[in-house]
Amino acid sequence: MARSQIVKLAAGLAVVGGLTACGRVDQASKPAGERPPTTKQLSAAITDRGVSLSPDSVGGGPLRIVVSNQSAKTVRASLARGSDSAEARTRYKLEPGSVATLNADVTKGTWRLSAGKDLAPATLVVGARRESGDGELLLP
């Protein structure tokens, strides 16, 4: 074999060897550990009859709840576990017709999304923690 063919062969083997290593990550060697579960988005509507939430059951982990005030009152939405004090609440009061988001990292149990004492709260049942977001593409 000519010297140039040997160099080309060696370079080709190096490229192929390098490509086989791409994308392989040993979980134990990750500096920050696993990613949290991907954020699940829920929708909530506040009406004059009460609060509704969809879906009403999820696995544990980060949530983003988009809350729409369709009632005639100005309210503040809050999410609490059982009868505990609020874990998360909207930053500002929601005027009639407005929309806000509420972010929380929920754990297993029964949670309540409420919007004041006069309106019936919605119940959110949270199961076991969702899987890590490690396998999801295009996450920050």
Side-chain angles (χ1 to χ4, degrees):
M1 277 191 171
R3 184 167 204 206
S4 65
Q5 289 177 330
I6 293 172
V7 171
K8 288 179 185 177
L9 181 63
L13 289 173
V15 168
V16 170
L19 288 177
T20 59
C22 289
R24 299 181 98 194
V25 176
D26 180 21
Q27 296 294 331
S29 68
K30 287 180 144 185
E34 288 188 339
R35 285 184 179 184
T38 56
T39 301
K40 180 102 172 150
Q41 185 161 314
L42 285 71
S43 299
I46 301 169
T47 64
D48 291 324
R49 289 191 230 163
V51 182
S52 63
L53 182 65
S54 178
D56 60 1
S57 63
V58 295
L63 296 180
R64 178 179 298 120
I65 303 173
V66 178
V67 182
S68 169
N69 184 4
Q70 300 171 12
S71 73
K73 302 177 187 177
T74 299
V75 297
R76 175 171 283 164
S78 62
L79 181 68
R81 184 176 183 158
S83 60
D84 295 346
S85 62
E87 299 269 337
R89 64 178 48 161
T90 53
R91 189 176 210 173
Y92 305 104
K93 290 185 177 180
L94 286 129
E95 298 292 328
S98 64
V99 176
T101 56
L102 193 144
N103 296 307
D105 194 349
V106 295
T107 55
K108 189 173 184 175
T110 303
W111 293 71
R112 228 172 6 92
L113 179 64
S114 60
K117 295 177 180 151
D118 300 339
L119 299 173
T123 301
L124 175 66
V125 178
V126 178
R129 188 156 178 90
R130 299 186 309 273
E131 291 184 17
S132 164
D134 277 342
E136 298 292 325
L137 296 176
L138 302 175
L139 290 178

